[in-house]
Amino acid sequence: MRVDDVIYETTTETYSIFGRVVAVQQGPIAARVSGPIDSITVNVGDRVKKGDAIVSISKSRFETDRKRIAAQVSRQQSALKNAEREMRRMKSLSKSAAFSRARFEDQEGIVAERKAQLVEFNAALQRVLIDIRDATIRAPYDAVVMSKNVELGAYVSLGAPVVSLINETALEIEVDVPAFRLDELKLGAAAAIVA
């Protein structure tokens, strides 16, 4: 009886694992402001590019608020200028007998209050400008429209989904590898994908 020589060599084993293809970027796109839908520029199945307008919410209320707050900013700027002018006038009289330290300090308080109110109105104006910008919902990435959740004229609430998108060009494969096979996995190892 003859026994062959023992040969040491690396062998490969092939085994099947089931997985699924998933998009890295997908999901609902929500409204950042509430209001009635003015326009919808997409349908299910349409391709959109990053930055494309998808849905527009009515801006009329925001535009009215912008005009009102802009007028308040203008009025507050005038009030601040008047208060500062009065304070300078009082300060120029500081060496005269007509100078009142108490009135001057009161005027300093009025100027500080006017400045704070101007900051508050400017912040409100910036907030309305953000709402105007957010009333146009844009695609955050290149994608395909998977579903449309709103119709023209419908009222949408803050945070409500308007469309669902999927980026079909950025995909990953998720597989459930059995724990006893994990030690066999090596970075860069080839894997055949069968659909």
Side-chain angles (χ1 to χ4, degrees), residues 20-32:
R20 61 208 152 273
V21 177
V22 294
V24 175
Q25 295 175 312
Q26 68 174 345
I29 306 302
R32 293 183 178 180

Side-chain angles (χ1 to χ4, degrees), residues 25 30 47 60 78 90 136 145 148 157 165 181 185:
Q25 295 175 312
R47 292 185 186 283
S60 58
S78 295
M90 286 179 167
T136 301
V145 178
K148 193 169 73 167
S157 298
L165 302 178
R181 297 279 192 196
L185 293 178

Side-chain angles (χ1 to χ4, degrees), residues 12-13 30 55-56 60 67 69 75 85 97-98 111 115 121 128 134 141 150 152 155 164 188 191:
T12 58
E13 180 182 357
V55 174
S56 182
S60 58
K67 289 176 186 172
I69 295 170
R75 187 171 52 248
R85 185 172 50 246
V111 168
K115 285 181 180 178
F121 287 127
V128 168
D134 288 347
Y141 47 83
V150 294
L152 191 62
Y155 189 89
S164 290

Side-chain angles (χ1 to χ4, degrees), residues 104-177:
F104 181 75
E105 289 173 356
D106 288 346
Q107 192 63 31
E108 283 180 322
I110 290 170
V111 168
E113 182 181 339
R114 297 279 190 259
K115 285 181 180 178
Q117 288 172 338
L118 183 59
V119 168
E120 181 182 344
F121 287 127
N122 274 321
L125 182 59
Q126 291 304 312
R127 175 63 198 177
V128 168
L129 293 173
I130 290 169
D131 286 345
I132 290 170
R133 183 198 65 207
D134 288 347
T136 301
I137 301 167
R138 299 186 178 279
Y141 47 83
D142 294 352
V144 173
V145 178
M146 296 300 292
S147 67
K148 193 169 73 167
N149 304 72
V150 294
E151 292 300 328
L152 191 62
Y155 189 89
V156 65
S157 298
L158 176 69
V162 292
V163 296
S164 290
L165 302 178
I166 184 168
N167 182 348
E168 83 284 6
T169 60
L171 304 173
E172 290 182 341
I173 297 175
E174 289 182 354
V175 294
D176 299 319
V177 179

Side-chain angles (χ1 to χ4, degrees), residues 25-137:
Q25 295 175 312
Q26 68 174 345
I29 306 302
R32 293 183 178 180
V33 295
S34 56
I37 302 295
D38 254 359
S39 67
I40 303 171
T41 59
V42 297
N43 287 307
V44 173
D46 287 353
R47 292 185 186 283
V48 293
K49 295 282 185 200
K50 180 179 180 176
D52 286 353
I54 299 172
V55 174
S56 182
I57 297 170
S58 174
K59 297 177 182 79
S60 58
R61 176 174 48 99
F62 303 124
E63 287 294 344
T64 302
D65 286 347
R66 183 191 61 76
K67 289 176 186 172
R68 180 180 51 80
I69 295 170
Q72 290 173 329
V73 167
S74 180
R75 187 171 52 248
Q76 201 59 42
Q77 287 171 334
S78 295
L80 176 60
K81 284 180 188 176
N82 291 338
E84 287 174 333
R85 185 172 50 246
E86 180 64 18
M87 192 171 78
R88 283 192 303 273
R89 188 184 68 73
M90 286 179 167
K91 192 172 188 177
S92 70
L93 298 173
S94 65
K95 303 270 191 243
S96 91
F99 180 75
S100 166
R101 186 77 185 152
R103 280 195 66 221
F104 181 75
E105 289 173 356
D106 288 346
Q107 192 63 31
E108 283 180 322
I110 290 170
V111 168
E113 182 181 339
R114 297 279 190 259
K115 285 181 180 178
Q117 288 172 338
L118 183 59
V119 168
E120 181 182 344
F121 287 127
N122 274 321
L125 182 59
Q126 291 304 312
R127 175 63 198 177
V128 168
L129 293 173
I130 290 169
D131 286 345
I132 290 170
R133 183 198 65 207
D134 288 347
T136 301
I137 301 167

